[in-house]
């Protein structure tokens, strides 16, 4: 169920369907394009798709080029649909705006303008060449798909998502720390799907010691995010599952120098980096420099609260199970935020609900006014 604000509809139903097809194509690059955006393109001639393409990764041709090449001579007088404004600069590849002009496309329909001033200007160049341009078809969906790219461009940080699973009475584990499993299979599969959409997933040392997670997509996708551990003490069990790097890479961020522990982990293929101060804000700055666009926080409540307070989280994903476990000392999903009055509570925006068999998933955005000035 979508409870988000009603949006202005731009374009015909056919335009919207073609843009949705662009998004489907773009999704095929999920987890492989960062720091580049996810882009899909479709060429339509006389109501029929004659060319399609998506951007598979940095250094490869852009979606528009693949679509135009597939369309060939059918591009002449055709309409090009693309979810992001065609680039207008020389980067790893030539500008797509020039390729579109040379293909003699008549109309370009794009989902959103490019927020990157270095690459933008494609719309104006196309219009100067006599091409009709429409902007804003399925814009909300286009912006959601590239939330990570937009966050990088505007704030020089990855987009942060804090995910947790809790019982109906707000517990993420029992009083003795047992947490397998709060939710059922459908909800856990949804988590694996979300991991496949992210470049990195972050946990703290306590989660490694208590839960011993894999943090992979469990075969649901061929893309696994970079698994990131924040640990001040470097007190980590060397045999933890997260240090099995055949399937997915692991990065340990620590303030503590431990030569023997570091050598042991590096022999397993684990990357170890000293970072001080080891805070969510500093970690997100570092991950931006490494090219990550979207990060999933799967940590406990203490680190999660710090990530929220430091502006490292833009979206909350709360999985809620119809279970009651009780326990005064049983942990909740979010630690101390420093809020003492109910009118200070963070109110999520653009709410969506999903039912996953017996469980529910609530997705909402933290108000931009809360996190923007913390970056």
């Amino acid at each position: 169920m979508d409870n988000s604000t009603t949006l202005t509809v731009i374009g015909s139903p056919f335009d919207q369907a073609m843009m949705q097809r662009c998004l489907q194509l773009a999704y095929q690059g999920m987890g492989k394009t960062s720091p580049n955006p996810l882009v899909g393109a479709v060429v339509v001639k006389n109501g029929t798709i004659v060319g399609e393409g998506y951007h598979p990764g940095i250094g490869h041709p852009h979606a528009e080029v693949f679509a135009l090449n597939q369309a060939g001579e059918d591009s002449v007088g055709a309409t090009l649909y693309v979810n992001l404004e065609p680039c207008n600069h020389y980067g790893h590849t030539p500008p797509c705006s020039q390729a579109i002009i040379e293909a003699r496309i008549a109309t370009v329909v794009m989902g959103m303008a490019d927020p990157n001033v270095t690459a933008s200007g494609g719309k104006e160049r196309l219009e100067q060449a006599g091409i009709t341009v429409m902007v804003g078809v399925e814009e909300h969906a286009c912006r959601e798909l590239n939330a990570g790219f937009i966050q990088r461009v505007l704030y020089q940080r990855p987009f942060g998502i804090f995910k947790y699973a809790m019982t109906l009475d707000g517990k993420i584990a029992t009083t003795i720390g047992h947490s397998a499993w709060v939710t059922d299979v459908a909800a856990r599969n949804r988590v694996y799907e979300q991991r496949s959409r992210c470049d990195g997933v972050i946990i703290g040392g306590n989660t490694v010691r208590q839960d011993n997670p894999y943090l992979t997509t469990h075969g649901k996708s061929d893309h696994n995010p970079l698994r990131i551990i924040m640990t001040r003490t470097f007190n980590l069990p060397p045999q933890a599952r997260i240090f099995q790097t055949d399937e997915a890479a692991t990065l340990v961020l620590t303030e503590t120098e431990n030569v023997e522990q570091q050598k042991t982990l590096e022999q397993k293929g684990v990357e170890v980096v000293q970072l001080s101060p080891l805070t969510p804000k500093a970690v997100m700055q570092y991950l931006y420099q490494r090219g990550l666009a979207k990060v999933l926080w799967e940590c406990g409540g203490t680190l999660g609260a710090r990530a929220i307070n430091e502006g490292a989280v833009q979206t909350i994903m709360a999985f809620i199970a119809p279970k009651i476990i009780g326990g005064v000392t049983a942990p909740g999903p979010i630690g101390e935020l420093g809020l003492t009055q109910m009118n200070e509570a963070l109110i999520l925006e653009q709410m969506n609900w999903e039912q996953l068999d017996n469980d529910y998933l609530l997705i909402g955005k933290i108000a931009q006014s809360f996190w923007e000035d913390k970056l």
Side-chain angles (χ1 to χ4, degrees):
M1 180 173 65
D2 186 348
N3 294 322
S4 57
T5 304
T6 301
L7 303 171
T8 302
V9 176
I10 297 177
S12 67
F14 182 81
D15 292 331
Q16 295 159 21
M18 290 301 97
M19 192 59 66
Q20 285 294 334
R21 178 56 184 160
C22 290
L23 295 173
Q24 290 172 359
L25 291 164
Y27 189 82
Q28 295 181 50
M30 188 68 71
K32 305 169 187 174
T33 66
S34 293
N36 284 1
L38 293 158
V39 183
V42 174
V43 178
V44 175
K45 186 75 170 283
N46 298 324
T48 301
I49 294 176
V50 294
E52 294 184 332
Y54 72 95
H55 179 49
I58 192 166
H60 293 279
H62 290 184
E64 299 94 319
V65 173
F66 283 112
L68 292 171
N69 287 343
Q70 189 178 97
E73 289 299 317
D74 284 334
S75 295
V76 179
T79 297
L80 172 72
Y81 292 86
V82 60
N83 60 291
L84 182 68
E85 179 181 8
C87 68
N88 193 43
H89 78 305
Y90 281 90
H92 291 280
T93 59
C96 291
S97 56
Q98 184 60 37
I100 293 168
I101 293 168
E102 292 175 354
R104 293 186 286 169
I105 287 286
T107 302
V108 173
V109 178
M110 53 193 190
M112 61 172 284
D114 193 336
N116 185 354
V117 294
T118 302
S120 63
K123 175 180 180 292
E124 290 75 13
R125 185 175 183 188
L126 295 173
E127 290 176 331
Q128 290 168 3
I131 296 173
T132 300
V133 179
M134 180 191 298
V135 185
V137 175
E138 299 290 277
E139 182 171 5
H140 179 73
C142 292
R143 297 183 71 86
E144 284 295 299
L145 180 72
N146 273 310
F149 170 73
I150 295 170
Q151 190 80 1
R152 283 185 56 85
V153 170
L154 297 183
Y155 301 103
Q156 293 75 57
R157 300 287 189 280
F159 187 88
I161 303 168
F162 181 42
K163 163 262 163 186
Y164 57 83
M166 69 179 189
T167 60
L168 196 58
D169 56 338
K171 310 298 184 182
I172 62 171
T174 67
T175 54
I176 64 170
H178 187 262
S179 61
W181 295 99
V182 174
T183 54
D184 291 330
V185 174
R188 298 201 295 274
N189 284 338
R190 180 66 175 80
V191 173
Y192 305 152
E193 177 188 335
Q194 187 62 41
R195 287 177 188 164
S196 75
R197 301 177 182 180
C198 294
D199 302 308
V201 54
I202 301 176
I203 59 173
N206 280 338
T207 300
V208 177
R209 290 185 290 270
Q210 294 175 9
D211 296 346
N212 194 21
Y214 288 101
L215 293 187
T216 66
T217 58
H218 291 261
K220 302 298 181 182
S221 169
D222 60 359
H223 166 69
N224 282 294
L226 175 66
R227 301 173 298 182
I228 303 155
I229 304 169
M230 292 176 60
T231 172
R232 292 186 182 280
T233 65
F234 216 156
N235 178 22
L236 302 171
Q239 300 307 316
R241 293 164 176 162
I242 200 168
F243 298 137
Q244 299 170 11
T245 58
D246 291 343
E247 187 177 357
T250 299
L251 166 67
V252 174
L253 298 176
T254 182
E255 286 183 327
T256 304
E257 183 177 7
N258 184 326
V259 176
E260 183 176 345
Q261 174 84 311
Q262 180 170 338
K263 182 178 179 181
T264 298
L265 293 181
E266 287 177 342
Q267 288 175 342
K268 294 173 175 286
V270 175
E271 183 181 2
V272 179
V273 173
Q274 284 187 272
L275 186 67
S276 183
L278 188 64
T279 64
K281 182 176 182 178
V283 167
M284 292 298 262
Q285 290 172 331
Y286 173 72
L287 296 179
Y288 167 78
Q289 294 166 2
R290 287 184 62 131
L292 277 69
K294 188 176 288 187
V295 172
L296 186 63
W297 293 84
E298 290 200 50
C299 53
T302 301
L303 181 54
R306 292 187 63 195
I308 292 171
N309 264 341
E310 293 184 22
V313 174
Q314 283 65 53
T315 290
I316 300 292
M317 293 185 71
F319 291 84
I320 304 170
K323 300 175 182 178
I324 295 175
I325 196 67
V328 174
T329 60
I334 299 177
E336 180 59 57
L337 291 175
L339 307 177
T340 58
Q341 302 295 316
M342 192 55 69
N343 59 7
E344 297 176 323
L346 299 182
I347 300 175
L348 301 186
E349 304 173 342
Q350 301 181 39
M351 300 294 300
N352 288 278
W353 286 93
E354 297 176 25
Q355 184 170 359
L356 303 163
D357 290 344
N358 291 329
D359 302 317
Y360 287 86
L361 167 61
L362 180 152
I363 304 175
K365 295 184 181 299
I366 297 176
Q368 184 174 331
S369 59
F370 176 82
W371 54 260
E372 189 172 36
D373 63 351
K374 301 176 185 295
L375 300 180

